[in-house]
């Protein structure tokens, strides 16, 4: 993602606080990758994207904020629906397929978390937050691994 930000002249800033996180690292990376791809797609050259990871109590919140296009209020409740696109006039070369944010929601919820989005409207950027428990109560199908710890194959 950093290379694509550089190529598009978008500044990517990362901030992290807290400790370990018990999660399926591959799926969590898919969540963050989808959110970052979405932010980069809708942020013009010269813009900014920020990824923040912060532990608050028993949860870790991953926030991806941009100062790009923004989203009108009527679209916000539908963004996590499969195949929903806020602007159907966008061509496939610029717009997504409409499943990336649905995947974000499904994977975040599979971790026992939740996802949200805010925007003050067009021209004011967008902020997505995926919040997951810092530790697993139960590990479904043995998939969870502490983030940062190698998984065995």
């Amino acid at each position: 993602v950093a290379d694509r930000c550089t190529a598009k002249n978008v500044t990517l800033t990362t901030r992290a606080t807290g400790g370990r996180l018990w999660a399926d690292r591959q799926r969590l990376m898919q969540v963050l990758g989808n959110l970052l791809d979405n932010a980069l797609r809708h942020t013009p050259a010269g813009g900014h994207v920020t990824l923040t990871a912060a532990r608050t109590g028993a949860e870790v919140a991953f926030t991806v904020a941009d100062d790009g296009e923004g989203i009108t209020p009527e679209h916000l409740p539908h963004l996590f629906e499969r195949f929903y696109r806020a602007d159907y006039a966008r061509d496939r070369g610029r717009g997504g397929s409409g499943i990336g944010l649905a995947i974000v929601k499904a994977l975040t919820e599979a971790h026992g978390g939740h996802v949200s989005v805010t925007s003050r409207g067009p021209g004011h950027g967008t902020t997505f937050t995926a919040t997951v428990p810092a530790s697993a109560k139960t590990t479904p199908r043995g998939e969870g691994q502490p983030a940062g710890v190698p998984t065995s194959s």
Side-chain angles (χ1 to χ4, degrees):
V1 173
D3 291 341
R4 290 195 328 255
C5 286
T6 300
K8 191 174 175 182
N9 191 29
V10 170
T11 302
L12 175 63
T13 304
T14 58
R15 297 184 191 112
T17 60
R20 290 192 170 271
L21 168 66
W22 188 267
D24 181 329
R25 180 176 37 196
Q26 184 176 359
R27 298 298 166 230
L28 190 57
M29 292 305 297
Q30 189 174 4
V31 166
L32 297 177
N34 284 357
L35 292 175
L36 288 166
D37 285 345
N38 194 64
L40 183 58
R41 183 180 303 119
H42 298 288
T43 302
H48 302 85
V49 173
T50 302
L51 167 62
T52 304
R55 183 171 180 155
T56 305
E59 297 182 321
V60 176
F62 295 92
T63 302
V64 176
D66 66 63
D67 58 4
E69 297 171 2
I71 302 167
T72 58
E74 64 267 17
H75 292 294
L76 292 174
H78 306 287
L79 291 178
F80 298 105
E81 296 172 8
R82 284 183 295 160
F83 306 114
Y84 186 84
R85 294 175 64 192
D87 183 353
Y88 289 98
R90 292 184 179 143
D91 62 272
R92 283 281 293 132
R94 184 169 179 277
S97 63
I99 62 169
L101 294 176
I103 291 169
V104 165
K105 182 179 186 223
L107 292 177
T108 301
E109 289 177 351
H111 278 84
H114 53 92
V115 65
S116 63
V117 59
T118 60
S119 178
R120 294 184 312 145
H124 295 285
T126 305
T127 300
F128 286 91
T129 303
T131 304
V132 296
S135 61
K137 293 180 178 136
T138 60
T139 306
R141 298 175 294 193
E143 293 177 2
Q145 294 292 328
V149 175
T151 58
S152 59
S153 340

